Structure formats: structure tokens, C-alpha cells
Amino acid sequence: MALGHQNLVDIAVDGYFGSVARRDTDRIAEILAPECIMRVVSAGIVYDGKPAILEHFEDFLGSYDRIEFEGFNPTADERTQKVAVRFTIILHDGAESLTMTNCNFFTLDLQGRFTEIAIYMSDLPDKGF
């Protein structure tokens, strides 16, 4: 049975972005299908499969003191089980920070796990990727 609009949005916003902000890699692992592919399209980077994505998150989360998200603007399509979210991310590294306006596109399976994540970033951080 297909996930409803609000379920799709909640998995993306609370499940994915919330878990990244909390550094909850166990929850991130739960919402990734084994065959998930993450593409950082704006940088030409591809993480193929759950282990590669989780390794990326270890590097990414370890590169910043704090990660904040704000201004979520999600939309979801129940028929295709896809979610798009435009948002602002602030990466804090000591006294410095980088603010980006990004857009992520998620495709989910019927179990509510991501099978594909496409990321478009307004800037490319110099670490964590």
C-alpha cells in the first residue's frame, strides 16, 4: 500500500533531515533501502548502496560541529512515492559556518525506505564529501 502525502513528508523532513541534525546514524540506516543510491548531482558525486551512504554520513557528520536545517518547503507525490524538499542548511565548523539553499529529491519504496536520493546544493562544502 502506498504511503500517504503526510507520511512521505514526515519521512523526509523528520526522518531524514531530523536524523542528520541529531546525528542519529541508526535512524538514517533504517530509512535507507539496501540498494539506495545517493547522488550529489551538483558535485557529480554518487554513493552506491547503503554501506557507501552510511560511510559518507560518518565523514559528513564528523566534519561539522553542528548541522542545522530550516525553512523546509516539501511537496510529495503519493502516486510515484516521491518527495522534494527545498530547505536551508547551515554547517557549523568552530567559528565559521556555511549556509546553503538546497533541494533534495527522494524516491521511497512501499516500506518507507529511500531507494534514491538526489541532492542539489547551492554551494559545495570543502569537506565531508
Side-chain angles (χ1 to χ4, degrees):
M1 183 171 173
L3 298 167
H5 179 272
Q6 193 60 51
N7 292 98
L8 292 165
V9 169
D10 289 347
I11 292 168
V13 174
D14 298 330
Y16 179 81
F17 295 112
S19 296
V20 173
R22 290 187 305 274
R23 300 172 182 272
D24 185 350
T25 54
D26 290 337
R27 178 64 180 135
I28 294 169
E30 289 175 7
I31 58 176
L32 295 174
E35 72 281 3
C36 185
I37 295 176
M38 175 186 279
R39 293 180 176 88
V40 184
V41 180
S42 50
I45 299 169
V46 177
Y47 301 101
D48 192 355
K50 186 175 186 172
I53 296 168
L54 292 174
E55 185 177 320
H56 156 66
F57 272 110
E58 286 183 28
D59 184 34
F60 179 70
L61 295 173
S63 296
Y64 301 97
D65 301 327
R66 189 168 39 117
I67 300 168
E68 292 181 82
F69 296 96
E70 58 187 43
F72 292 111
N73 186 4
T75 187
D77 183 355
E78 293 175 47
R79 186 182 59 77
T80 62
Q81 297 292 278
K82 295 184 182 212
V83 183
V85 184
R86 184 172 176 237
F87 60 96
T88 299
I89 182 172
I90 306 163
L91 304 173
H92 298 275
D93 183 21
E96 300 199 11
S97 64
L98 173 63
T99 301
M100 300 181 292
T101 301
N102 295 356
C103 193
N104 284 20
F105 297 87
F106 303 96
T107 302
L108 290 86
D109 63 17
L110 296 179
Q111 289 76 44
R113 299 174 307 174
F114 298 125
T115 59
E116 184 175 359
I117 304 168
I119 302 170
Y120 291 83
M121 302 180 348
S122 64
D123 198 356
L124 184 62
D126 59 358
K127 59 184 178 177
F129 289 85

